[in-house]
Amino acid sequence: MTLSPARVPATGVRRLTTTLYGYSFLDDFVLLYPVYALLFADTGLSLWQISSLFALWSITGVVLEVPSGAWADAVSRRRLLWIGPLLTAVGFALWVLVPSYWAFALGFVLWGAGGALGSGALEALVYDELDHLGAADRYARVMGRARAARLLGTMASAGLAGPAFALGGYPVVGAASILACLLTAATAARFPEHRVKPETGGDSWATTLRTGLAEVRRDRSVCGALLLIPAVAAVWGALDEYTPLLVRDIGVAEATVPYLILLIWAGVTAGSLLSGPAERLGTTGLAALLAGGALALAVGAAARSVAGVALVGLAFGAFQLAEVLADVRLQHRIDESRRATLTSVASLGTELATVATFGVYALLGTGAAHSTVFAVLAVPYLVTALALARARVATARP
């Protein structure tokens, strides 16, 4: 039977998106997530040692983020997407088999390297495959659903970690996490990849990096789109780590905190799923979305109530939606040959801005309540919204 031209792209898009959603779910379906800090403490590590492990994890991502993105533009992106989870699996195996500070440190390096290999490569592969199928206009909706699948994976792992731990402790939780990594790698191997790969050489990734950064310097629209991603993603990404403390401060029972955190995650998931229709917002709409999210964040945090927590979830959903739309703006403006490189540069900016937000939070939090800090950190979103509005006005001028 001969397929019609419309049928061929539809089948290709379905294969791509099914693989992407499965990959995204499995990549965050790691039962060790909720308990690895307990594993470190039960092994006898001090708070300083545990903090140093988290720092090592972040440093690994910062150091490898951009080189790995340039490498993804120089070789097969699909290959990096299945190698990354295998590195993470080895790290988790070390944690469970030989629990010690140095095993945990090596595991975090492997996990950080695995994450860096996928960062930039995934967005670039998905966009270029959709473009190959004539469906690049679906990128926002597809990536929004992929982020929702990640959130579902995180929530599912949190729900199953307790029963798995009760069944067999850290070995069972670790084994389930390793299995999830192996399934993630197997799923990544199913990604289609029709990109014509450039000739590789000893300095091919470095050359790709130099030409990508030159494009940022030369094209102001690319530079603006690249800077918008950390401006949108960093603050709420850092605040997410403090939401349990914000929720606890409203006076609810400890056992109620996880349920209210799920309420916030529901808002984030809804924001992800709205990405497709919201792509029509444009610059003015994106500015209004950020301003509305900032207002909801400030009012919700200051309310110190369950309704306020719901508003924080609404704000986080707006920021998640804006983050997807910012990624779409960048992908539309960059060339295929440097797509993973510049996406990784944007991710590096997000990581650095997130670390800076942690520092600001610690500074403000020494003398103010969590609700106050949340409200203050809504201000950067108002500044970004104003900058977008001014840029739109400037562009509209003859």
Side-chain angles (χ1 to χ4, degrees):
M1 181 178 70
T2 302
L3 295 176
S4 66
R7 178 62 177 167
V8 175
T11 303
V13 170
R14 188 178 304 111
R15 176 192 171 188
L16 173 66
T17 55
T18 301
T19 304
L20 173 64
Y21 302 153
Y23 172 90
S24 300
F25 177 88
L26 290 169
D27 198 36
D28 273 21
F29 185 65
V30 178
L31 271 62
L32 273 169
Y33 281 167
V35 299
Y36 62 68
L38 301 179
L39 170 62
F40 302 158
D42 290 345
T43 305
L45 269 60
S46 67
L47 180 59
W48 179 90
Q49 288 176 310
I50 294 174
S51 299
S52 69
L53 290 174
F54 292 153
L56 179 62
W57 189 19
S58 298
I59 291 170
T60 301
V62 168
V63 170
L64 297 180
E65 181 70 51
V66 175
S68 66
W71 192 24
D73 280 333
V75 299
S76 167
R77 294 162 180 166
R78 177 175 57 196
R79 184 187 308 163
L80 299 189
L81 289 174
W82 64 256
I83 289 176
L86 296 182
L87 295 178
T88 304
V90 173
F92 290 162
L94 288 173
W95 286 6
V96 175
L97 296 176
V98 285
S100 64
Y101 178 82
W102 294 110
F104 297 146
L106 180 55
F108 266 128
V109 169
L110 291 170
W111 193 358
L117 289 180
S119 178
L122 179 65
E123 293 86 349
L125 183 146
V126 172
Y127 188 93
D128 285 342
E129 285 304 309
L130 287 173
D131 191 38
H132 171 77
L133 294 166
D137 59 327
R138 303 188 193 182
Y139 179 79
R141 180 168 66 251
V142 167
M143 291 306 292
R145 291 175 178 175
R147 290 174 187 244
R150 285 189 178 276
L151 290 168
L152 291 175
T154 300
M155 290 187 282
S157 65
L160 292 176
F165 189 82
L167 179 65
Y170 295 118
V172 170
V173 173
S177 300
I178 293 169
L179 177 60
C181 291
L182 296 178
L183 291 174
T184 305
T187 303
R190 295 189 66 254
F191 272 117
E193 186 174 30
H194 295 91
R195 183 176 67 108
V196 178
K197 303 172 186 62
E199 295 295 326
T200 58
D203 63 346
S204 57
W205 76 267
T207 301
T208 302
L209 176 57
R210 285 196 299 270
T211 56
L213 294 178
E215 181 179 354
V216 173
R217 293 191 297 268
R218 183 176 61 252
D219 191 332
R220 292 182 61 184
S221 68
V222 172
C223 182
L226 190 149
L227 292 174
L228 180 61
I229 291 179
V232 170
V235 174
W236 86 269
L239 289 179
D240 181 54
E241 302 297 331
Y242 298 97
T243 49
L245 301 176
L246 176 72
V247 171
R248 187 175 62 182
D249 275 3
I250 71 175
V252 299
E254 293 283 345
T256 308
V257 172
Y259 297 106
L260 293 180
I261 297 300
L262 283 176
L263 177 62
I264 294 176
W265 282 353
V268 177
T269 303
S272 296
L273 295 176
L274 290 172
S275 301
E279 190 176 5
R280 297 189 294 269
L281 286 176
T283 301
T284 302
L286 182 56
L289 178 67
L290 289 173
L295 181 62
L297 177 61
V299 173
R304 303 185 66 155
S305 64
V306 173
V309 172
L311 277 177
V312 172
L314 180 64
F316 279 14
F319 299 148
Q320 168 77 319
L321 174 56
E323 185 177 338
V324 175
L325 297 180
D327 177 47
V328 172
R329 291 165 69 94
L330 178 64
Q331 301 302 333
H332 284 334
R333 285 167 170 77
I334 54 181
D335 183 75
E336 174 187 350
S337 63
R338 294 179 287 275
R339 191 175 305 284
T341 301
L342 295 183
T343 303
S344 289
V345 170
S347 297
L348 174 61
T350 299
E351 291 181 15
L352 293 175
T354 300
V355 171
T357 304
F358 285 143
V360 171
Y361 197 105
L363 181 63
L364 296 176
T366 56
H370 293 289
S371 57
T372 302
V373 180
F374 268 68
V376 170
L377 288 176
V379 173
Y381 286 108
L382 290 175
V383 174
T384 302
L386 179 61
L388 283 172
R390 293 184 62 182
R392 178 69 182 89
V393 171
T395 304
R397 288 173 182 165

